[in-house]
Amino acid sequence: MPIVAPSLLAADFLKLDAECKMLNESEADWFHLDVMDGRFVPNISFGPMIIEFVRKTTRKVCDVHLMILEPEKYAEQFKNAGADILTVHIEACHHLHRNLQQIKSLGMKAGVALNPHTPVAELSDILHDIDLVCLMSVNPGFGGQKFIPYTLEKIKQLRKMIDEKGLNVHVEIDGGVTVENAGSIIAAGADVLVAGNTVFKSADPKATIAKLKAL
Ligand code: DX5
Ligand code: ZN
């Protein structure tokens, strides 16, 4: 069974309390929280304050995806806001090893996200220090984009690399995940599905989450 992590980016922020309640009652495993700075990506979303509010509504895992430059400046703030997993972009880190040590020393799980153009081979010397790899299946910055098919190839390569090294690393897919394509994403070797629009814009979000869980 995959881990299902709905992305709150697609939620109705005027009804955030109700949206969190819905997720709590659903089979969703994690809350995926997308932080954008308008510099690393061409969009601005929300920061630690919103995560602090969300944290108060749930005991589920808060999976925080930082699409920001200089993530080391904010890691502690996100820990204090309640993040369980903190994911940084490899393209935003000059000293990725140091970033991961910082995240882990603060008591969080450490994730690394890769943009569609970044080869998974870039992780070969650091994979044993990572708890989660987030493969972007769209260019980060916006919800509701179309899944880039080549991602399936990258999932297979990454899964092979993880298995060959005998590691236990989550493979998370983020962007354009639908009930229709999720089966092939899991078959390729992913175990965490992020889904924004697919969940929140569906007629019955809880039922959609159950469908993703049943894959
Ligand atoms: C994109 C974000 C995603 C986004 C996914 O930059 O990282 O988490 O919310 O949204 P959907 O599932 O609608 O593509
Ligand atoms: Zn995300």
Side-chain angles (χ1 to χ4, degrees):
M1 255 196 195
I3 290 170
V4 174
S7 164
L8 272 294
L9 192 65
D12 181 344
F13 273 68
L14 267 185
K15 300 181 185 142
L16 196 51
D17 198 24
E19 300 279 50
C20 291
K21 191 162 176 280
M22 179 279 289
L23 289 185
N24 282 325
E25 289 166 358
S26 79
E27 290 177 51
D29 301 277
W30 297 355
F31 283 32
H32 185 83
L33 296 148
D34 289 302
V35 177
M36 302 177 184
D37 66 353
R39 296 176 70 216
F40 179 68
V41 288
N43 194 12
I44 299 175
S45 59
F46 52 78
M49 190 185 78
I50 294 288
I51 293 170
E52 218 176 303
F53 282 119
V54 170
R55 173 80 282 173
K56 287 183 189 143
T57 73
T58 190
R59 294 168 77 169
K60 296 194 182 193
V61 167
C62 285
D63 170 33
V64 177
H65 177 191
L66 297 184
M67 285 160 271
I68 67 172
L69 297 178
E70 302 180 300
E72 62 280 357
K73 283 192 183 169
Y74 306 97
E76 198 171 345
Q77 252 180 281
F78 284 104
K79 167 65 186 173
N80 294 339
D84 298 299
I85 304 170
L86 198 64
T87 296
V88 294
H89 264 266
I90 193 168
E91 302 86 2
C93 295
H94 293 299
H95 304 285
L96 182 62
H97 184 267
R98 186 179 287 151
N99 287 88
L100 298 177
Q101 296 313 120
Q102 180 199 25
I103 292 167
K104 288 196 264 189
S105 72
L106 287 165
M108 295 176 283
K109 299 254 189 229
V112 176
L114 266 59
N115 278 340
H117 74 275
T118 304
V120 295
E122 287 208 14
L123 296 173
S124 65
D125 293 341
I126 191 90
L127 203 53
H128 51 276
D129 286 310
I130 301 175
D131 297 304
L132 173 146
V133 176
C134 173
L135 291 181
M136 292 307 304
S137 37
V138 298
N139 285 295
F142 303 93
Q145 302 179 79
K146 219 172 147 325
F147 182 85
I148 298 172
Y150 184 69
T151 313
L152 292 175
E153 207 42 57
K154 293 177 76 175
I155 300 170
K156 286 180 202 158
Q157 289 169 18
L158 178 60
R159 176 51 63 193
K160 189 161 173 270
M161 203 191 280
I162 292 168
D163 291 348
E164 277 173 3
K165 291 179 190 285
L167 299 171
N168 189 12
V169 182
H170 287 299
V171 176
E172 175 177 75
I173 304 307
D174 189 2
V177 173
T178 63
V179 174
E180 290 70 35
N181 66 18
S184 53
I185 292 169
I186 294 160
D191 67 316
V192 185
L193 300 173
V194 173
N197 279 261
T198 289
V199 166
F200 286 98
K201 308 291 186 234
S202 79
D204 187 346
K206 279 188 213 168
T208 303
I209 292 167
K211 277 188 202 157
L212 292 171
K213 276 302 282 182
L215 287 164

